[in-house]
Amino acid sequence: MILSLGIFTLLSLVGVGFAALAWVCDVSEETRERYAGRYPDTRATGDFGEMLGDETLDAVVIATPVPTHYDLAKRALEAGKHVFCEKPVAVDAPGVRSVLASTEEAKKRGLSLVSGLCWRYHTPQRATYARIHEGAIGEIRATLPVGVEASPSL
């Protein structure tokens, strides 16, 4: 079972039938109600600890504001859950050290912490990087990042 706090993660995992949405945990009551309306079998809470207490929950997806990532990831690992955390997992050295320590402990228990690196393994992106490194397009002097995102109506 998966907890999803991110709309795009929800669509990706649940939409293709890879996972079941067991919980929605969000501080916003409006967000919880919106998900509950679309997924009536999903439990909703504003209390992360309550959700982590569910023994049937296998994994957690953390897609919250960045400063909350390392604490939520650490708590989820300590509760025995696998964690997928949007990047960055931490924003400062103490947060990084905390996550690394939690990850080492989690490995001993067979748990994983995976960070979202949206384009690192994307085949077209990797091919573009390879062409740049081969010199196929000449010297790069400047770049302009452009992104396209879907706008689901959740």
Side-chain angles (χ1 to χ4, degrees):
M1 292 183 205
I2 296 287
L3 155 80
S4 179
L5 299 174
I7 290 172
F8 296 109
T9 303
L10 169 68
L11 290 176
S12 297
L13 297 175
V14 175
V16 298
F18 181 76
L21 181 66
W23 285 86
V24 170
C25 181
D26 200 290
V27 295
S28 165
E29 185 174 345
E30 178 184 337
T31 298
R32 293 192 308 267
E33 288 174 1
R34 186 171 60 238
Y35 279 91
R38 298 270 175 138
Y39 302 94
D41 295 333
T42 299
R43 295 171 65 185
T45 184
D47 181 350
F48 194 64
E50 174 189 2
M51 185 212 53
L52 291 179
D54 181 350
E55 293 294 322
T56 67
L57 184 66
D58 299 321
V60 177
V61 174
I62 299 173
T64 57
V66 172
T68 67
H69 286 182
Y70 79 90
D71 181 57
L72 294 176
K74 178 181 177 184
R75 289 174 58 195
L77 289 168
E78 288 172 350
K81 313 302 180 193
H82 296 282
V83 176
F84 175 91
C85 185
E86 288 294 348
K87 65 180 183 314
V89 177
V91 295
D92 58 16
V96 170
R97 285 191 289 273
S98 173
V99 169
L100 289 174
S102 295
T103 301
E104 288 305 313
E105 288 301 313
K107 281 183 191 178
K108 295 175 187 174
R109 296 173 30 214
L111 298 173
S112 300
L113 169 64
V114 178
S115 181
L117 300 166
C118 58
W119 295 112
R120 180 167 287 186
Y121 304 106
H122 187 249
T123 302
Q125 197 80 4
R126 292 176 64 87
T128 301
Y129 295 150
R131 291 184 52 86
I132 291 169
H133 290 291
E134 293 164 0
I137 64 171
E139 181 182 351
I140 304 296
R141 295 178 187 231
T143 63
L144 175 63
V146 177
V148 177
E149 292 186 18
S151 298
S153 59
L154 278 181

